[in-house]
Amino acid sequence: MNGPVVVGVDGSTSALAAVEIAAREAKLRGVGLQVVHAFIWPSLHVSLGPSPVGPPDGGLRNAADKLLSEAVARARETEPGVEVTEHLVTGEPLTVLEARSREASLVVVGSRGMGGFIGLLVGSTAVHLAAHGRCPVLVVRGDAGATGPVVVAVDGSPQGDAAVGFAFAAASARGVDLVAVHAWNTWTERGGDDPGHPQNLVDGIDRMRSAEERLLAEALAGWQDRYPDVTVHRRLVENRIRQALIEATEQAQLIVVGARGRGGFTGLLLGSVSQALLHHGHCPVAVVRGDGS
């Protein structure tokens, strides 16, 4: 998509970090940046102007204008060549940003905003958008300034193919390597007709490993042809999927994951692996929804 990059802001430190990332993403895509603040107070019918006994520049409307101006200034300082527009939209954040995602190429949000509960690792807006956004959603958490490779979680699912494509494009635009991680384990499959027999167990594991290697190669093949400039490192990991991917984020500048992969329950919009990364990843997380996800 050639739509703008949209970033949601609420005056929090997390949101300002998201603004910087969003400005860089807009530059990489050659599109404009929309800085959006959802202004819920008019719908609650409260006074928006300054208090009669307060300073003339007080009040909810002035506060909203101020935080928007600060965010826009941060974006222009980060990437002076990007066209930045500010949008004060009446409504609650989840609804406003989901609507904006229909025309955007990417929505960027901080992992936590204003009013977050102490100890809550990721805010409700980030989780909601990752599940319901109509375009890829980038949640800024961990080390947003990291300079490592782009990492993509590969599971071989049709939904995951969109994430692989997004990751190749991201690595190409950044001029960095792509690490494709496919985690597998033996806990969900038998090792032969007699799983207790040592030889059957060994043969079963070898067969499974070969099948997972083929899955990883096939998931990347077409995209490697489209992005010959990207150096790809295949990483087949025998481990719990969530743990393997969280560890991979320690050296990454971005991890890309599908909203749901293999084994997802029908109707579940955001899988457990995606949620684990949103809560525990060490770098920004891009959640990409494929067709039908």
Side-chain angles (χ1 to χ4, degrees):
M1 293 181 62
N2 295 319
V5 171
V6 172
V7 59
V9 298
D10 61 3
S12 66
T13 301
S14 180
L16 286 177
V19 167
E20 295 180 2
I21 293 293
R24 298 186 185 109
E25 291 291 334
K27 180 181 180 181
L28 289 173
R29 288 168 168 74
V31 299
L33 174 63
Q34 294 183 0
V35 181
V36 178
H37 176 60
F39 194 45
I40 195 172
W41 301 112
S43 60
L44 299 180
H45 307 291
V46 300
S47 176
L48 305 180
S51 168
V53 296
D57 60 347
L60 294 171
R61 178 56 190 252
N62 285 332
D65 289 337
K66 181 179 179 180
L67 76 84
L68 256 181
S69 296
E70 181 182 3
V72 168
R74 179 70 65 90
R76 289 172 175 162
E77 179 183 351
T78 303
E79 293 294 347
V82 171
E83 180 183 359
V84 182
T85 56
E86 61 182 73
H87 303 264
L88 186 64
V89 184
T90 299
E92 57 91 22
L94 303 180
T95 302
V96 168
L97 292 176
E98 184 181 342
R100 291 275 166 166
S101 75
R102 298 172 186 269
E103 303 297 332
S105 60
L106 180 71
V107 173
V108 183
V109 292
S111 58
R112 287 184 57 201
M114 297 292 288
F117 294 101
I118 295 175
L120 187 64
L121 297 179
V122 65
S124 60
T125 299
V127 172
H128 177 93
L129 283 172
H132 297 277
R134 300 305 181 91
C135 70
V137 174
L138 177 56
V139 179
V140 178
R141 57 166 295 108
D143 185 1
T147 58
V150 171
V151 173
V152 61
V154 178
D155 65 7
S157 69
Q159 294 85 359
D161 189 57
V164 174
F166 183 97
F168 266 94
S172 178
R174 290 164 171 76
V176 299
D177 292 358
L178 176 65
V179 177
V181 179
H182 176 58
W184 68 285
N185 56 64
T186 61
W187 302 313
T188 58
E189 186 169 330
R190 294 164 62 92
D193 294 333
D194 180 8
H197 190 284
Q199 186 59 50
N200 285 341
L201 182 59
V202 171
D203 291 345
I205 292 175
D206 288 343
R207 173 176 52 81
M208 290 175 61
R209 184 180 293 108
S210 296
E212 302 298 341
E213 288 175 348
R214 288 195 301 272
L215 182 151
L216 178 56
E218 291 169 0
L220 299 175
W223 294 107
Q224 285 185 298
D225 293 339
R226 293 178 60 178
Y227 293 92
D229 59 310
V230 176
T231 298
V232 181
H233 304 275
R234 301 181 190 177
R235 187 175 298 172
L236 191 67
V237 182
E238 186 177 354
N239 194 357
R240 294 182 182 273
I241 296 172
R242 282 173 284 185
Q243 184 60 35
L245 293 175
I246 290 170
E247 290 177 359
T249 64
E250 293 178 358
Q251 304 299 323
Q253 65 172 273
L254 173 70
I255 187 166
V256 184
V257 64
R260 285 198 304 119
R262 292 188 298 175
F265 293 100
T266 300
L268 185 64
L269 296 178
L270 191 63
S272 61
V273 172
S274 305
Q275 292 200 49
L277 287 168
L278 289 177
H279 283 85
H280 302 292
H282 300 285
C283 70
V285 180
V287 180
V288 181
R289 295 184 65 199
D291 292 339
S293 65

Short mmCIF file of all heavy atoms in Angstrom, two decimals, residues 33-59:
data_model
loop_
_atom_site.label_atom_id
_atom_site.label_comp_id
_atom_site.label_asym_id
_atom_site.label_seq_id
_atom_site.Cartn_x
_atom_site.Cartn_y
_atom_site.Cartn_z
N LEU A 33 3.45 11.25 6.88
CA LEU A 33 3.21 10.79 8.25
C LEU A 33 2.04 11.56 8.83
O LEU A 33 2.02 12.79 8.81
CB LEU A 33 4.46 11.01 9.11
CG LEU A 33 4.31 10.72 10.61
CD1 LEU A 33 3.99 9.24 10.85
CD2 LEU A 33 5.57 11.13 11.37
N GLN A 34 1.06 10.83 9.34
CA GLN A 34 -0.06 11.44 10.05
C GLN A 34 0.12 11.22 11.55
O GLN A 34 0.19 10.07 12.00
CB GLN A 34 -1.38 10.82 9.59
CG GLN A 34 -1.75 11.11 8.16
CD GLN A 34 -3.11 10.54 7.79
OE1 GLN A 34 -3.80 9.93 8.62
NE2 GLN A 34 -3.52 10.74 6.55
N VAL A 35 0.19 12.30 12.29
CA VAL A 35 0.27 12.23 13.75
C VAL A 35 -1.14 12.44 14.29
O VAL A 35 -1.74 13.49 14.09
CB VAL A 35 1.23 13.30 14.31
CG1 VAL A 35 1.32 13.19 15.82
CG2 VAL A 35 2.62 13.15 13.68
N VAL A 36 -1.67 11.41 14.95
CA VAL A 36 -3.09 11.40 15.32
C VAL A 36 -3.25 11.34 16.84
O VAL A 36 -2.63 10.51 17.51
CB VAL A 36 -3.81 10.19 14.69
CG1 VAL A 36 -5.27 10.14 15.12
CG2 VAL A 36 -3.69 10.24 13.17
N HIS A 37 -4.10 12.23 17.34
CA HIS A 37 -4.48 12.17 18.76
C HIS A 37 -5.98 12.02 18.84
O HIS A 37 -6.74 12.82 18.28
CB HIS A 37 -4.06 13.44 19.50
CG HIS A 37 -4.52 13.48 20.92
ND1 HIS A 37 -4.15 12.54 21.86
CD2 HIS A 37 -5.35 14.35 21.58
CE1 HIS A 37 -4.71 12.82 23.02
NE2 HIS A 37 -5.44 13.91 22.88
N ALA A 38 -6.43 10.96 19.51
CA ALA A 38 -7.86 10.73 19.70
C ALA A 38 -8.33 11.56 20.89
O ALA A 38 -7.90 11.34 22.03
CB ALA A 38 -8.12 9.24 19.94
N PHE A 39 -9.22 12.50 20.62
CA PHE A 39 -9.68 13.47 21.62
C PHE A 39 -11.07 13.04 22.10
O PHE A 39 -12.09 13.33 21.46
CB PHE A 39 -9.71 14.86 20.99
CG PHE A 39 -9.83 16.00 21.97
CD1 PHE A 39 -9.06 16.04 23.12
CD2 PHE A 39 -10.69 17.04 21.71
CE1 PHE A 39 -9.15 17.11 24.01
CE2 PHE A 39 -10.80 18.12 22.58
CZ PHE A 39 -10.02 18.14 23.73
N ILE A 40 -11.10 12.32 23.19
CA ILE A 40 -12.35 11.70 23.64
C ILE A 40 -13.28 12.65 24.38
O ILE A 40 -14.49 12.43 24.47
CB ILE A 40 -12.04 10.47 24.52
CG1 ILE A 40 -13.29 9.60 24.68
CG2 ILE A 40 -11.47 10.90 25.88
CD1 ILE A 40 -13.03 8.29 25.35
N TRP A 41 -12.74 13.74 24.91
CA TRP A 41 -13.50 14.57 25.83
C TRP A 41 -14.75 15.23 25.24
O TRP A 41 -15.77 15.34 25.93
CB TRP A 41 -12.59 15.63 26.45
CG TRP A 41 -11.43 15.02 27.18
CD1 TRP A 41 -10.12 15.05 26.84
CD2 TRP A 41 -11.50 14.22 28.36
NE1 TRP A 41 -9.35 14.34 27.72
CE2 TRP A 41 -10.19 13.81 28.66
CE3 TRP A 41 -12.55 13.80 29.19
CZ2 TRP A 41 -9.90 13.01 29.76
CZ3 TRP A 41 -12.27 13.00 30.28
CH2 TRP A 41 -10.95 12.62 30.56
N PRO A 42 -14.75 15.67 23.97
CA PRO A 42 -15.99 16.27 23.45
C PRO A 42 -17.18 15.32 23.51
O PRO A 42 -18.31 15.74 23.76
CB PRO A 42 -15.63 16.62 22.00
CG PRO A 42 -14.15 16.83 22.04
CD PRO A 42 -13.64 15.80 23.01
N SER A 43 -16.93 14.02 23.28
CA SER A 43 -18.03 13.06 23.30
C SER A 43 -18.55 12.81 24.72
O SER A 43 -19.64 12.26 24.90
CB SER A 43 -17.58 11.73 22.68
OG SER A 43 -16.49 11.19 23.39
N LEU A 44 -17.77 13.22 25.72
CA LEU A 44 -18.20 13.07 27.12
C LEU A 44 -18.86 14.33 27.65
O LEU A 44 -19.24 14.39 28.82
CB LEU A 44 -16.99 12.71 27.99
CG LEU A 44 -16.29 11.39 27.63
CD1 LEU A 44 -15.12 11.15 28.58
CD2 LEU A 44 -17.27 10.22 27.68
N HIS A 45 -18.95 15.35 26.78
CA HIS A 45 -19.67 16.58 27.12
C HIS A 45 -19.08 17.27 28.35
O HIS A 45 -19.81 17.71 29.24
CB HIS A 45 -21.16 16.30 27.33
CG HIS A 45 -21.80 15.58 26.18
ND1 HIS A 45 -21.99 16.16 24.95
CD2 HIS A 45 -22.26 14.30 26.08
CE1 HIS A 45 -22.55 15.28 24.13
NE2 HIS A 45 -22.72 14.14 24.79
N VAL A 46 -17.77 17.36 28.38
CA VAL A 46 -17.11 18.10 29.46
C VAL A 46 -16.55 19.40 28.89
O VAL A 46 -16.39 19.55 27.67
CB VAL A 46 -15.97 17.26 30.09
CG1 VAL A 46 -16.52 15.98 30.68
CG2 VAL A 46 -14.88 16.95 29.06
N SER A 47 -16.24 20.32 29.76
CA SER A 47 -15.71 21.61 29.33
C SER A 47 -14.31 21.44 28.75
O SER A 47 -13.45 20.77 29.35
CB SER A 47 -15.66 22.58 30.52
OG SER A 47 -15.06 23.79 30.14
N LEU A 48 -14.07 22.04 27.59
CA LEU A 48 -12.78 21.90 26.92
C LEU A 48 -11.89 23.12 27.10
O LEU A 48 -10.69 23.05 26.88
CB LEU A 48 -12.99 21.65 25.42
CG LEU A 48 -13.89 20.47 25.04
CD1 LEU A 48 -14.00 20.37 23.53
CD2 LEU A 48 -13.36 19.19 25.64
N GLY A 49 -12.48 24.24 27.47
CA GLY A 49 -11.72 25.47 27.59
C GLY A 49 -11.03 25.60 28.93
O GLY A 49 -11.20 24.76 29.83
N PRO A 50 -10.25 26.66 29.11
CA PRO A 50 -9.55 26.88 30.38
C PRO A 50 -10.53 27.21 31.51
O PRO A 50 -11.61 27.74 31.28
CB PRO A 50 -8.64 28.07 30.08
CG PRO A 50 -9.28 28.76 28.92
CD PRO A 50 -9.94 27.69 28.11
N SER A 51 -10.13 26.86 32.70
CA SER A 51 -10.95 27.16 33.87
C SER A 51 -10.94 28.67 34.12
O SER A 51 -9.92 29.35 33.91
CB SER A 51 -10.38 26.42 35.09
OG SER A 51 -10.97 26.90 36.28
N PRO A 52 -12.05 29.19 34.59
CA PRO A 52 -12.10 30.63 34.91
C PRO A 52 -11.06 31.05 35.93
O PRO A 52 -10.65 32.22 35.97
CB PRO A 52 -13.52 30.83 35.45
CG PRO A 52 -14.31 29.70 34.87
CD PRO A 52 -13.36 28.55 34.80
N VAL A 53 -10.63 30.10 36.78
CA VAL A 53 -9.66 30.45 37.81
C VAL A 53 -8.25 29.93 37.46
O VAL A 53 -7.32 30.06 38.26
CB VAL A 53 -10.08 29.85 39.18
CG1 VAL A 53 -11.39 30.48 39.64
CG2 VAL A 53 -10.21 28.34 39.10
N GLY A 54 -8.10 29.40 36.25
CA GLY A 54 -6.82 28.85 35.84
C GLY A 54 -6.14 29.71 34.80
O GLY A 54 -6.64 30.77 34.40
N PRO A 55 -4.97 29.30 34.32
CA PRO A 55 -4.25 30.06 33.30
C PRO A 55 -5.01 30.06 31.98
O PRO A 55 -5.75 29.11 31.67
CB PRO A 55 -2.92 29.31 33.17
CG PRO A 55 -3.24 27.92 33.62
CD PRO A 55 -4.27 28.07 34.69
N PRO A 56 -4.83 31.10 31.16
CA PRO A 56 -5.58 31.20 29.89
C PRO A 56 -5.21 30.12 28.88
O PRO A 56 -5.98 29.85 27.97
CB PRO A 56 -5.20 32.60 29.38
CG PRO A 56 -3.92 32.93 30.08
CD PRO A 56 -4.02 32.27 31.42
N ASP A 57 -4.04 29.54 29.06
CA ASP A 57 -3.64 28.49 28.11
C ASP A 57 -3.93 27.10 28.67
O ASP A 57 -3.43 26.09 28.17
CB ASP A 57 -2.15 28.60 27.77
CG ASP A 57 -1.25 28.47 28.98
OD1 ASP A 57 -1.78 28.53 30.11
OD2 ASP A 57 -0.03 28.31 28.80
N GLY A 58 -4.76 27.02 29.71
CA GLY A 58 -5.12 25.74 30.28
C GLY A 58 -6.30 25.12 29.55
O GLY A 58 -6.74 25.59 28.50
N GLY A 59 -6.81 24.05 30.10
CA GLY A 59 -7.97 23.39 29.50
C GLY A 59 -7.58 22.18 28.66
O GLY A 59 -6.44 22.05 28.20
#
